Amino acid sequence: MTNKLRDLAKDASTRSHSPYSKAKVGSAVETDDGSIFQGCNIENSSFGGTVCAERVAIWKAVSEGHKKLKRIYVYTDPGWPPCGMCLQVMTEFAQLDLEITFGDKAGNEKTKKLGELLTQAFTPEHLK
Ligand code: ZN
């Protein structure tokens, strides 16, 4: 499944709207029922309106009624991991054992658990 997610994330990166950073990021998220949603980063001239590829994919999933994430793949040329804001958004829709793989153009990959990347996650449990 990771290969399929990688291919879809790489494909999504080709649709990146990144005229300012020139960083083309793609993501693919698999939900608990096996559905897959793609996202690319979408930049905005006001910068604050910019959204990362991971959040685009997650919001597409959630807006279609899929609120439980199973794994996520992030593709960039240099193999960047998700940013802190995206990790925080993931905690809303996944357990801390969510599998996050980030890969680069050369085919190198790293897979980490959400809880490894965001060690002191603020989760919905804190609000109960
Ligand atoms: Zn991000």
Side-chain angles (χ1 to χ4, degrees):
M1 182 53 88
T2 301
N3 287 342
K4 183 176 181 182
L5 287 181
R6 175 186 165 77
D7 291 346
L8 290 171
K10 186 175 181 180
D11 173 62
S13 75
T14 66
R15 294 185 290 279
S16 165
H17 177 75
S18 47
Y20 310 107
S21 74
K22 314 291 188 207
K24 297 190 178 303
V25 186
S27 182
V29 61
E30 180 186 358
T31 60
D32 64 338
D33 70 348
S35 297
I36 297 175
F37 298 86
Q38 294 172 279
C40 64
N41 57 325
I42 303 173
E43 296 181 347
N44 188 278
S45 59
S46 75
F47 294 170
T50 295
V51 183
C52 298
E54 300 92 309
R55 279 179 283 144
V56 170
I58 292 167
W59 289 339
K60 285 171 69 178
V62 172
S63 67
E64 296 295 326
H66 301 266
K67 295 185 176 180
K68 293 184 179 173
L69 309 181
K70 189 172 178 182
R71 61 177 60 93
I72 188 164
Y73 198 104
V74 186
Y75 174 87
T76 58
D77 188 340
W80 292 337
C83 77
M85 185 177 291
C86 286
L87 294 173
Q88 179 60 44
V89 168
M90 290 174 199
T91 67
E92 188 76 18
F93 303 107
Q95 300 299 308
L96 293 176
D97 64 352
L98 173 73
E99 188 177 282
I100 302 168
T101 303
F102 38 104
D104 67 14
K105 187 176 181 179
N108 299 305
E109 293 180 339
K110 289 182 182 171
T111 299
K112 302 282 185 182
K113 300 291 186 188
L114 175 56
E116 292 179 277
L117 296 176
L118 192 63
T119 57
Q120 297 294 311
F122 186 84
T123 70
E125 293 300 313
H126 289 101
L127 299 178
K128 291 184 177 173

